[in-house]
Amino acid sequence: MVNHRERPGWTDTTRAYYWMLTFPDAQALISQARYCQRELRHLGFDEIDEDGFHLTLGRIGLIHQISPHQLERLVANALERTTLAFTLQAIPLAASRGAIRYSIAPWDPVLRLHTALAAADTDSGLPLDKPTTGMRPHVGIAYCNRSVPAHEVRAAMLPLRDLDPVDLDVHHVELVELWREHRAYRWQAVHSLALR
């Protein structure tokens, strides 16, 4: 695994707008994720705070490149395309090159929402950075902060893969301003769009 903090396009001063699903009230997810973090603490990864669990839908753009008028237009276009609310399952536990995370199922409602938001972004002149075909929905619990042999992480995660999936009710999508701070992502919601 590789250091997540060395991803291109991010510095300590980068601030960008993103579409995200956030889970501040998902107590079952928070409780189980905290348990998993404790069980994996010996790996020394950067744990995500309980108010930081999220599913990234896409980067809209750097804040200094987007005017308030463009942002208002984007929100209006997104409101016209909102999808139905849905329920997901967070399935323990997997890893990517730079993080330990939950897999998400089913993908279909997330992909439909991403497609709708991508259309709103394009109509607003702010195309998302990645196409829907590149989406791999997940919710991270810890970021890798150095090079680590993947087999060590796999072995540590193996017992946690037997935990039950956690239901996540999705009623809103957030447009957030995102930045990095002390080895963590922080954000503030700019707009919260209710799903139908």
Side-chain angles (χ1 to χ4, degrees):
M1 295 179 67
V2 298
N3 189 341
H4 181 83
R5 304 292 172 219
E6 294 176 354
R7 294 173 66 189
W10 273 101
T11 69
D12 289 339
T13 60
T14 302
R15 294 178 85 95
Y17 291 119
Y18 276 77
W19 289 114
M20 290 178 18
L21 302 179
T22 62
F23 308 103
D25 301 318
Q27 289 305 314
L29 173 71
I30 292 167
S31 176
Q32 189 182 85
R34 282 301 200 211
Y35 170 76
C36 292
Q37 288 171 334
R38 287 192 300 273
E39 293 296 303
L40 299 171
R41 195 157 283 156
H42 65 280
L43 295 172
F45 285 13
D46 297 334
E47 296 175 3
I48 296 173
D49 294 336
E50 67 181 55
D51 64 351
F53 299 125
H54 64 279
L55 191 161
T56 303
L57 293 167
R59 182 173 177 158
I60 300 163
L62 299 173
I63 63 168
H64 68 273
Q65 295 175 338
I66 299 174
S67 70
H69 174 73
Q70 287 176 299
L71 213 56
E72 289 172 15
R73 184 174 172 203
L74 172 58
V75 170
N77 285 336
L79 280 169
E80 292 176 4
R81 292 176 171 81
T82 55
T83 63
L84 297 176
F86 52 88
T87 299
L88 299 173
Q89 284 197 317
I91 303 167
L93 207 55
S96 64
R97 291 179 43 135
I100 297 172
R101 62 197 196 174
Y102 282 88
S103 298
I104 295 296
W107 282 14
D108 288 350
V110 179
L111 298 182
R112 279 194 299 274
L113 178 58
H114 186 276
T115 298
L117 295 173
D121 283 40
T122 299
D123 288 352
S124 305
L126 301 167
L128 286 178
D129 63 336
K130 292 181 183 173
T132 301
T133 54
M135 277 285 299
R136 300 293 179 265
H138 63 274
V139 174
I141 66 164
Y143 294 117
C144 187
N145 49 26
R146 67 198 184 285
S147 294
V148 178
H151 69 88
E152 293 179 12
V153 179
R154 276 196 302 269
M157 288 189 324
L158 189 59
L160 302 173
R161 293 176 62 85
D162 291 331
L163 294 172
D164 290 334
V166 177
D167 286 345
L168 297 173
D169 294 324
V170 178
H171 298 284
H172 294 84
V173 59
E174 311 291 336
L175 191 162
V176 304
E177 180 181 333
L178 184 76
W179 65 94
R180 283 201 324 209
E181 180 181 291
H182 306 298
R183 301 171 79 139
Y185 290 103
R186 305 288 183 211
W187 65 82
Q188 64 180 19
V190 178
H191 290 282
S192 181
L193 279 64
L195 303 181
R196 296 176 296 202

